[in-house]
Amino acid sequence: MKKSWLLSLMMSFALLGGAVLPTGASVSAASDTTPVYYDENSAVTEDPAGEDTSVDEPEFTADEADLLDYIDQLEAAAVYEERAFNSFKGGMTITSANRKSIFLKLNNTAIPNYTKYVSKLKLIKPKNAELQKIHAKLVKGSYTQLEAYQLFKQSVSKTKVNSTQLKQGNDKLAAGAKLIEQSNQEFIKYANKLGFDL
């Protein structure tokens, strides 16, 4: 059975460089259209013709189950990442005129939420060694981006924008994005190896 339903879930994660993970993934069983009858004594019974209408849950290997658990944990953390990114819809161009509003967005919304995101990522402990390496790269890239946001905040904290800190922040942001993209590509290869199609 092809497992493309899982990797379609991860497609936006890979394409957006870890910016937003979709929520509400569900596992659908086989496309059996036989009616299922429920009674108060059991979850699934036979239909009136006497055929068994129960649907078997797909069985996953330990690595597949670890991958699914990992994705669930990423989705839970992604809520905070999304809040941080949503605070800068439309981009973040820093000028002397908007310096104060950028500082407030960074200080009150973006950095606290992205900090929670990185903290939640650090709590995720995949069991599979290969997935652990991929995840470690995601954590490092995300932490590097958090450092970039902190540099941006410092660059606009005074009345004059500090262009040196702004450049350092841009460099860190690019370095973090590169690590996240590498993590995404390695994740895709790993998932494909387990039989999940992208």
Side-chain angles (χ1 to χ4, degrees):
M1 168 176 116
K2 293 290 181 187
K3 301 164 191 146
S4 61
W5 55 268
L6 171 69
L7 293 182
S8 65
L9 167 73
M10 292 306 298
M11 185 53 108
S12 69
F13 180 71
L15 294 176
L16 296 175
V20 179
L21 281 176
T23 58
S26 61
V27 178
S28 59
S31 60
D32 186 3
T33 58
T34 307
V36 177
Y37 300 93
Y38 296 91
D39 66 22
E40 58 191 49
N41 296 327
S42 67
V44 179
T45 63
E46 293 183 358
D47 71 9
E51 296 178 27
D52 181 11
T53 58
S54 62
V55 179
D56 292 331
E57 288 292 320
E59 292 187 30
F60 298 109
T61 66
D63 288 342
E64 291 170 338
D66 189 34
L67 180 65
L68 293 171
D69 184 50
Y70 176 70
I71 291 169
D72 287 342
Q73 292 177 70
L74 284 179
E75 285 180 338
V79 171
Y80 298 104
E81 181 189 35
E82 187 173 3
R83 287 180 193 161
F85 290 151
N86 284 343
S87 67
F88 288 103
K89 283 187 178 175
M92 183 174 71
T93 302
I94 298 174
T95 64
S96 294
N98 70 0
R99 175 199 62 78
K100 187 174 181 178
S101 68
I102 295 288
F103 175 83
L104 292 172
K105 286 179 183 178
L106 285 164
N107 189 58
N108 298 338
T109 307
I111 291 176
N113 279 293
Y114 207 76
T115 300
K116 286 180 187 175
Y117 168 67
V118 172
S119 295
K120 294 238 180 236
L121 285 182
K122 288 180 177 181
L123 295 174
I124 299 173
K125 305 290 183 205
K127 295 176 185 121
N128 176 285
E130 191 172 350
L131 193 54
Q132 288 171 0
K133 289 177 187 175
I134 294 167
H135 181 67
K137 195 171 282 190
L138 174 63
V139 170
K140 185 175 181 181
S142 298
Y143 185 78
T144 302
Q145 287 197 325
L146 176 59
E147 292 175 327
Y149 299 139
Q150 291 166 338
L151 283 166
F152 292 148
K153 178 183 160 186
Q154 290 173 5
S155 76
V156 295
S157 64
K158 301 211 170 32
T159 54
K160 185 178 178 191
V161 176
N162 184 324
S163 59
T164 303
Q165 287 178 326
L166 192 59
K167 183 186 179 324
Q168 290 171 345
N170 282 325
D171 292 344
K172 282 229 180 235
L173 194 66
K178 184 177 179 180
L179 287 169
I180 291 170
E181 179 58 30
Q182 289 173 359
S183 172
N184 289 339
Q185 293 304 317
E186 291 172 14
F187 176 82
I188 291 168
K189 287 178 186 174
Y190 174 73
N192 286 337
K193 186 173 84 171
L194 292 181
F196 294 92
D197 295 328
L198 269 186

